[in-house]
Amino acid sequence: GVAAAPDVPVGPNKGQAVIAAIQGESPGGSTPAQKAIESGTTYYDKLKDGRTHVFLLATDGEPNCEGAVFPMLCQNDAQCPPGQKCGGLPPLFGVCEDPGGGAAAKAIGAALAKGIRTYVVGISFSGVSSTLNQMAVAGGTARPGNTKYYPVGNQADLEMALKNITSQVISCTFQLQSLPMQNQKIVVTVGGV
C-alpha cells in the first residue's frame, strides 16, 4: 500500500528521520510505483514551501499492482492483460508488468508536467529494464546511452548513483542582485558561517 502522506514530512534536517523510517520497513513483494508517485504529487501540490521538488524512485522490481491492490500473478505472458508481460520468476511466481512503463510512467510524466522530476534507481541483476528506462524518460532524468535509469547491483553502485543524483539536485548557484565591480570580493554566509 501507499500512505497518503510521507512517514517523514518534507523539509530540512530530516535525514535521520528518513533513515529510521526506511529501517522500520521491509519489502512486501509489491511495487505500487504509480500510486506512490500519485500520492507524492498530491502531497507536493499541497506543500507550498517555494522549493523545487524531486522524486527518487528506488525499486527492486517492475511496477505492478497498477489499478489494483495486489499485482496480477502469472506463469506466462498469455495470462497477462494485452501489452503486458509476465515478469519475475515465471513459471514459479510471476507478476504482470507493462514494459512500456504503463501507468507508473504516466504518473511520472504527470508529475514532471508539474515541475517534479523523477530519478529512477533500479536494483537489479537481470539486465536493462525497458520499463524503468521509460520511467526515467518520463521523469525528465534519462541518462545518455541504453540504460536511462541508474542500475545498481550492490552497495557501491547504489552509493555512486545517489551521489550522482545528489550532485544534480543540489546546487551551489547564487543569483547576485548586481554584477560585482572588478577585483571586488564576494562573501557568502550560510547559517552565520
Side-chain angles (χ1 to χ4, degrees), residues 119-131:
Y119 291 88
V120 180
V121 176
I123 303 167
S124 174
F125 305 100
S126 61
V128 177
S129 163
S130 63
T131 302

Side-chain angles (χ1 to χ4, degrees), residues 31-34 37 57-59 61-64 66 98-109 112 117-121 129-142 148-149:
T31 309
Q34 170 200 359
I37 295 296
L57 177 66
T59 179
E62 305 280 322
N64 54 36
E66 296 181 23
D98 186 335
K106 288 180 184 133
I108 289 169
L112 182 62
R117 291 177 297 149
T118 302
Y119 291 88
V120 180
V121 176
S129 163
S130 63
T131 302
L132 298 184
N133 270 346
Q134 291 299 321
M135 290 165 59
V137 169
T141 61
K148 305 298 182 193
Y149 62 97

Side-chain angles (χ1 to χ4, degrees), residues 1 28 33 52-53 57 74 79 164 189:
T52 300
H53 298 112
L57 177 66
C74 58
Q79 295 175 332
N164 286 336
T189 304

Side-chain angles (χ1 to χ4, degrees), residues 36-104:
I37 295 296
E38 289 172 348
S39 178
T41 302
T42 299
Y43 177 80
Y44 279 151
D45 282 346
K46 296 175 185 173
L47 186 66
K48 305 294 183 197
D49 61 0
R51 295 176 179 260
T52 300
H53 298 112
V54 299
F55 290 126
L56 171 66
L57 177 66
T59 179
D60 65 348
E62 305 280 322
N64 54 36
C65 52
E66 296 181 23
V69 176
F70 298 105
M72 179 181 254
L73 300 179
C74 58
Q75 293 179 316
N76 57 55
D77 292 346
Q79 295 175 332
C80 295
Q84 294 189 9
K85 296 187 178 286
C86 187
L89 300 171
L92 301 174
F93 175 79
V95 292
C96 296
E97 303 165 344
D98 186 335

Side-chain angles (χ1 to χ4, degrees), residues 147-193:
T147 308
K148 305 298 182 193
Y149 62 97
Y150 291 84
V152 300
N154 56 51
Q155 182 176 340
D157 291 348
L158 179 58
E159 289 176 7
M160 184 58 68
L162 294 176
K163 284 180 183 176
N164 286 336
I165 293 167
T166 301
S167 70
Q168 295 175 52
V169 173
I170 296 173
S171 172
C172 288
T173 302
F174 299 94
Q175 293 286 333
L176 301 177
Q177 301 214 354
S178 63
L179 289 175
M181 295 184 340
Q182 190 172 8
N183 296 326
Q184 183 180 8
K185 292 183 180 179
I186 298 175
V187 177
V188 177
T189 304
V190 178
V193 178

Side-chain angles (χ1 to χ4, degrees), residues 7-9 13-23:
D7 292 338
V8 179
N13 302 315
K14 302 288 183 165
Q16 290 304 317
V18 170
I19 291 169
I22 291 171
Q23 290 174 340

